[in-house]
Amino acid sequence: MDPVRNPFAPGAGQRPPELAGRERELDAFDVVLERVARGRPERSLMLTGLRGVGKTVLLGELRSMAIRRRWGAGKVEARPDAELRRPLSAALHRAVRDLAVRHRAPDRVDEVLAVLKAFALKANKPDAKMRDRWQPGIDVPPAQGRADSGDIEIDLVELFTEVAELATDVGSGVALLIDEIQDLGPEDVSALCAACHELSQSGAPLVVVGAGLPHVPAVLSASKSYSERLFRYTRIDRLSREDADRAVLAPIEREDAEIAPHALDALHTASGGYPYFIQAYGKAAWDAAPTNPITEEDVRVAAPEAEAELAVGFFGSRYERATPAEREYLRAMAELTQGKDESAVTSDIAVYLGRKPSSLSPARDSLMKKGLVYSAERGHIAFTVPHFGNYLLTRAD
């Protein structure tokens, strides 16, 4: 069929597969926004799940919901070995600008911006040369003695308080969305938990929404024992068969096209219900179909094209980041799980490789830091990427 009209192409359609079946999460966040707007206590949110289940797209939709409610909203993507202060400053600057257009006292807005600038400037190292010092682009002098101690935990509490009070002035709130939250450093995680704890105590209208891999709860609890009381955890998983079918049918029907029932079965078998794979296989099947409707044969013919694209962009890009020792560990995991999306026992991996468990710790820890594996439970390890084990077993090196 016409590739120009392909409803599975990136950016096509009104609602991508990543959002199909996420009505429960969207409705829950709508309730959070309403409760916070009414001054009622509410916990911040944490979305957890494997790669490819649509967490980032869902996070973007939650941000849009906050904006439609006339909230201030800013989004951060955490990165390994990068401090939170600088990107957080940019995100909250955006949120403050959203609120400023409705505030009747420009001087009050400038006061908050001054605190934000003071917080942001502490991202510069004390011994940095003038030409290397980052400037946050806030056109007011930095405040003195507020959010500028250099201790991220103290400063973040003070900054969140200031921004939340500005939102209160206009009868609104602030949503701070943080993607890949497991990549935050220990100090930043501790500071974020402390700030959320302060917000929960005061009932301030600022909500943090994080998204990350399945071990995020363990990361947060290792930082602050009370973190489990601060956040509402929501596991984002593969779509149910009904929602997966809807993710395929809805975009096809918008193009006045059809798909045969057996083709729908074949697409679900290939994708496993994971939104990222639904989009990849759906796009390839649409391009492979010479006529309407899409048939099971079209899906069969299209599968190698979808798999080749996934092998490069989804699996391969991650595999290439691994060192030879890490790749050996990954392959052992794949062999022991027979390519299934299951966890492997770390002691079994050592036996399989004929090594002492302690000698494999550096490779395992590095893979966890790179976000390729996570500890499903003590003594177990699993891939963060669905179907990654099967990819490794079929990869020809």
Side-chain angles (χ1 to χ4, degrees):
M1 287 190 275
D2 185 357
V4 176
R5 295 171 52 210
N6 195 319
F8 295 98
Q14 298 175 5
R15 173 160 286 192
E18 292 90 335
L19 280 177
R22 304 305 184 204
E23 288 80 9
R24 180 174 62 88
E25 290 79 13
L26 297 175
D27 290 344
F29 188 61
D30 199 45
V31 172
V32 169
L33 294 176
E34 182 64 29
R35 287 180 60 86
V36 172
R38 293 174 179 268
R40 296 176 181 173
E42 187 57 81
R43 287 177 291 174
S44 289
L45 308 178
M46 287 293 155
L47 311 175
T48 68
L50 300 175
R51 307 284 187 194
V53 295
K55 299 186 302 296
T56 298
V57 174
L58 178 57
L59 205 63
E61 179 62 20
L62 299 184
R63 178 178 178 273
S64 297
M65 289 174 63
I67 290 173
R68 288 194 292 271
R69 285 261 190 166
R70 305 183 73 186
W71 278 42
K75 188 170 178 288
V76 175
E77 181 176 344
R79 299 184 184 278
D81 302 319
E83 294 182 355
L84 178 63
R85 192 181 288 262
R86 182 169 175 173
L88 181 62
S89 300
L92 287 180
H93 189 195
R94 172 63 187 270
V96 170
R97 292 203 305 271
D98 291 340
L99 299 172
V101 297
R102 298 166 51 208
H103 206 288
R104 296 181 180 180
D107 290 347
R108 173 61 184 140
V109 174
D110 286 348
E111 288 176 4
V112 176
L113 287 173
V115 174
L116 178 57
K117 186 171 186 177
F119 175 87
L121 289 174
K122 286 299 178 179
N124 293 312
K125 302 300 181 184
D127 57 349
K129 296 180 180 179
M130 186 60 66
R131 67 174 181 271
D132 298 327
R133 296 178 69 83
W134 172 63
Q135 293 295 325
I138 299 174
D139 297 327
V140 297
Q144 299 293 321
R146 190 73 173 157
D148 63 350
S149 72
D151 183 321
I152 183 67
E153 188 163 319
I154 295 171
D155 294 347
L156 194 57
V157 169
E158 293 180 350
L159 177 62
F160 275 11
T161 300
E162 289 285 345
V163 174
E165 287 177 356
L166 186 72
T168 300
D169 292 345
V170 295
S172 184
V174 173
L176 175 64
L177 304 106
I178 307 177
D179 203 3
E180 303 292 353
I181 200 165
Q182 75 281 340
D183 288 337
L184 293 179
E187 289 187 0
D188 290 335
V189 171
S190 179
L192 187 66
C193 289
C196 288
H197 180 64
E198 183 68 24
L199 291 172
S200 68
Q201 296 293 308
S202 64
L206 193 154
V207 174
V208 174
V209 183
L213 296 175
H215 64 291
V216 162
V219 170
L220 296 176
S221 63
S223 175
K224 297 289 187 184
S225 59
Y226 55 75
S227 65
E228 63 185 25
R229 302 194 304 269
L230 299 178
F231 305 105
R232 175 179 295 146
Y233 294 100
T234 299
R235 179 69 182 263
I236 308 300
D237 208 338
R238 72 181 81 186
L239 300 178
S240 67
R241 177 59 196 267
E242 180 182 359
D243 288 330
D245 286 352
R246 188 154 50 91
V248 174
L249 289 168
I252 289 176
E253 290 172 352
R254 283 199 294 269
E255 295 297 332
D256 295 322
E258 297 177 346
I259 181 170
H262 288 309
L264 202 59
D265 294 338
L267 272 178
H268 188 264
T269 298
S271 70
Y274 289 103
Y276 193 92
F277 297 152
I278 290 173
Q279 190 150 357
Y281 283 97
K283 178 179 181 298
W286 177 280
D287 288 342
T291 59
N292 186 37
I294 297 172
T295 66
E296 184 178 10
E297 176 64 12
D298 295 330
V299 175
R300 187 190 66 78
V301 170
E305 178 66 26
E307 288 159 5
E309 184 174 329
L310 288 168
V312 174
F314 193 68
F315 299 121
S317 61
R318 291 175 167 85
Y319 182 74
E320 293 301 324
R321 295 166 53 201
T323 65
E326 292 163 4
R327 292 177 184 182
E328 180 186 46
Y329 195 95
L330 292 173
R331 285 186 175 278
M333 289 177 60
E335 292 286 351
L336 289 170
T337 59
Q338 298 180 328
K340 299 176 182 178
D341 292 331
E342 299 174 352
S343 64
V345 180
T346 53
S347 59
D348 289 348
I349 296 173
V351 172
Y352 181 86
L353 294 174
R355 305 268 293 279
K356 292 182 178 180
S358 59
S359 70
L360 296 175
S361 295
R364 183 191 66 235
D365 294 346
S366 180
L367 287 169
M368 291 181 68
K369 189 173 183 180
K370 291 177 179 179
L372 295 175
V373 302
Y374 73 100
S375 179
E377 56 182 290
R378 186 173 179 82
H380 289 70
I381 201 80
F383 295 115
T384 62
V385 179
H387 298 181
F388 197 62
N390 184 63
Y391 161 77
L392 292 174
L393 293 182
T394 57
R395 178 186 171 90
D397 283 331

